Amino acid sequence: MWNSEAPLKLLSEMPAHLNIDNLREIQQIIDVDKYKHSEIFKRDLCGEYAPFCELCEKHIKYPCAVAYVKMKQSEGMELEIAATEEELSVEEEETAETLEAPKKYIRIAIARRKK
Protein backbone atom coordinates (compact mmCIF):
# COMPACT_ATOMS: atom_id res chain seq x y z
CA MET A 1 0.00 0.00 0.00
CA TRP A 2 2.69 2.54 0.87
CA ASN A 3 5.26 3.99 -1.53
CA SER A 4 8.50 2.52 -0.21
CA GLU A 5 10.61 3.89 -3.06
CA ALA A 6 10.20 7.64 -2.39
CA PRO A 7 11.64 7.69 1.15
CA LEU A 8 14.33 5.17 0.20
CA LYS A 9 15.44 7.32 -2.74
CA LEU A 10 15.57 10.40 -0.50
CA LEU A 11 17.43 8.46 2.19
CA SER A 12 20.04 7.26 -0.31
CA GLU A 13 20.84 10.89 -1.15
CA MET A 14 21.34 11.82 2.51
CA PRO A 15 24.38 11.40 4.73
CA ALA A 16 24.65 8.37 7.04
CA HIS A 17 24.32 10.67 10.09
CA LEU A 18 20.81 12.11 9.87
CA ASN A 19 20.17 15.49 11.44
CA ILE A 20 16.81 17.02 12.33
CA ASP A 21 16.42 18.60 8.88
CA ASN A 22 16.96 15.22 7.20
CA LEU A 23 14.29 13.67 9.43
CA ARG A 24 11.88 16.49 8.62
CA GLU A 25 12.32 15.85 4.87
CA ILE A 26 11.73 12.12 5.30
CA GLN A 27 8.65 12.83 7.44
CA GLN A 28 7.22 15.12 4.74
CA ILE A 29 7.62 12.47 2.04
CA ILE A 30 5.94 9.85 4.23
CA ASP A 31 3.16 12.24 5.31
CA VAL A 32 2.20 13.07 1.72
CA ASP A 33 1.88 9.40 0.80
CA LYS A 34 0.09 8.55 4.05
CA TYR A 35 -2.37 11.41 3.52
CA LYS A 36 -3.06 10.32 -0.06
CA HIS A 37 -3.82 6.77 1.06
CA SER A 38 -5.88 7.99 4.03
CA GLU A 39 -8.06 9.89 1.57
CA ILE A 40 -8.46 6.79 -0.60
CA PHE A 41 -9.44 4.59 2.36
CA LYS A 42 -11.48 7.41 3.96
CA ARG A 43 -9.82 7.01 7.38
CA ASP A 44 -6.65 7.97 9.18
CA LEU A 45 -4.03 5.31 8.53
CA CYS A 46 -1.68 6.44 11.29
CA GLY A 47 -0.33 3.35 13.03
CA GLU A 48 -1.24 0.92 10.26
CA TYR A 49 0.12 2.59 7.14
CA ALA A 50 3.49 0.88 6.72
CA PRO A 51 5.69 -1.85 8.22
CA PHE A 52 7.60 0.68 10.31
CA CYS A 53 4.45 1.85 12.14
CA GLU A 54 5.07 -0.77 14.84
CA LEU A 55 8.30 1.10 15.73
CA CYS A 56 6.56 4.46 16.00
CA GLU A 57 6.97 6.69 19.05
CA LYS A 58 4.21 9.26 18.64
CA HIS A 59 5.48 11.52 21.42
CA ILE A 60 8.50 12.73 19.41
CA LYS A 61 8.90 15.05 16.44
CA TYR A 62 8.90 13.31 13.07
CA PRO A 63 7.73 9.94 14.42
CA CYS A 64 7.29 8.31 11.00
CA ALA A 65 10.78 9.31 9.88
CA VAL A 66 12.42 8.01 13.06
CA ALA A 67 10.48 4.73 12.83
CA TYR A 68 11.42 4.39 9.16
CA VAL A 69 15.11 4.92 9.94
CA LYS A 70 14.92 2.37 12.77
CA MET A 71 13.38 -0.14 10.36
CA LYS A 72 16.15 0.48 7.83
CA GLN A 73 18.77 0.07 10.58
CA SER A 74 17.25 -3.28 11.54
CA GLU A 75 17.48 -4.31 7.88
CA GLY A 76 21.22 -3.62 7.99
CA MET A 77 21.41 -0.14 6.49
CA GLU A 78 24.29 1.91 7.92
CA LEU A 79 22.40 4.90 9.37
CA GLU A 80 22.54 6.93 12.53
CA ILE A 81 20.17 9.53 13.90
CA ALA A 82 22.46 12.41 14.82
CA ALA A 83 19.60 14.60 16.05
CA THR A 84 19.63 15.13 19.80
CA GLU A 85 16.82 14.11 22.13
CA GLU A 86 16.09 17.80 22.70
CA GLU A 87 15.63 18.35 18.97
CA LEU A 88 13.32 15.36 18.74
CA SER A 89 11.23 16.16 21.79
CA VAL A 90 7.99 18.00 21.31
CA GLU A 91 8.09 21.19 23.31
CA GLU A 92 5.57 21.30 26.11
CA GLU A 93 4.61 24.85 25.22
CA GLU A 94 3.62 23.77 21.72
CA THR A 95 1.32 21.05 23.01
CA ALA A 96 -0.10 23.32 25.71
CA GLU A 97 -0.93 25.96 23.11
CA THR A 98 -2.75 23.51 20.91
CA LEU A 99 -4.67 22.04 23.83
CA GLU A 100 -5.68 25.38 25.31
CA ALA A 101 -6.50 27.22 22.11
CA PRO A 102 -9.63 29.35 22.44
CA LYS A 103 -12.69 27.88 20.82
CA LYS A 104 -14.10 29.76 17.87
CA TYR A 105 -17.81 29.98 17.43
CA ILE A 106 -19.62 30.63 14.18
CA ARG A 107 -22.95 32.37 14.33
CA ILE A 108 -25.38 31.23 11.70
CA ALA A 109 -28.21 33.62 10.92
CA ILE A 110 -31.51 32.54 9.45
CA ALA A 111 -32.90 34.73 6.70
CA ARG A 112 -36.58 35.60 6.90
CA ARG A 113 -38.82 36.12 3.94
CA LYS A 114 -40.30 39.53 3.38
CA LYS A 115 -44.10 39.56 3.57
Side-chain angles (χ1 to χ4, degrees):
M1 166 173 67
W2 78 290
N3 179 7
S4 61
E5 292 180 24
L8 185 59
K9 181 181 176 188
L10 180 63
L11 194 59
S12 67
E13 298 170 357
M14 292 182 171
H17 297 282
L18 302 171
N19 63 28
I20 196 73
D21 293 328
N22 300 135
L23 293 173
R24 184 179 64 248
E25 289 180 49
I26 296 168
Q27 182 73 37
Q28 288 172 344
I29 293 289
I30 293 170
D31 280 345
V32 167
D33 193 55
K34 182 171 54 171
Y35 180 79
K36 181 179 74 173
H37 284 92
S38 291
E39 287 291 311
I40 292 169
F41 288 98
K42 298 185 182 347
R43 62 188 169 92
D44 185 6
L45 295 176
C46 184
E48 57 182 291
Y49 159 73
F52 55 84
C53 288
E54 63 188 33
L55 303 171
C56 183
E57 298 175 42
K58 294 182 188 216
H59 66 278
I60 61 172
K61 282 185 186 175
Y62 316 125
C64 298
V66 171
Y68 178 72
V69 170
K70 286 181 180 179
M71 181 186 79
K72 287 299 180 187
Q73 287 171 330
S74 70
E75 292 175 355
M77 191 175 240
E78 300 276 331
L79 293 170
E80 183 182 329
I81 297 175
T84 64
E85 286 185 32
E86 292 154 353
E87 289 176 314
L88 287 173
S89 68
V90 176
E91 294 178 19
E92 290 183 30
E93 292 176 14
E94 289 178 10
T95 54
E97 279 182 19
T98 56
L99 292 176
E100 296 176 11
K103 293 183 180 181
K104 295 182 181 181
Y105 295 96
I106 299 172
R107 184 174 176 214
I108 300 173
I110 299 173
R112 297 184 187 196
R113 291 187 179 178
K114 292 184 179 180
K115 293 184 182 180

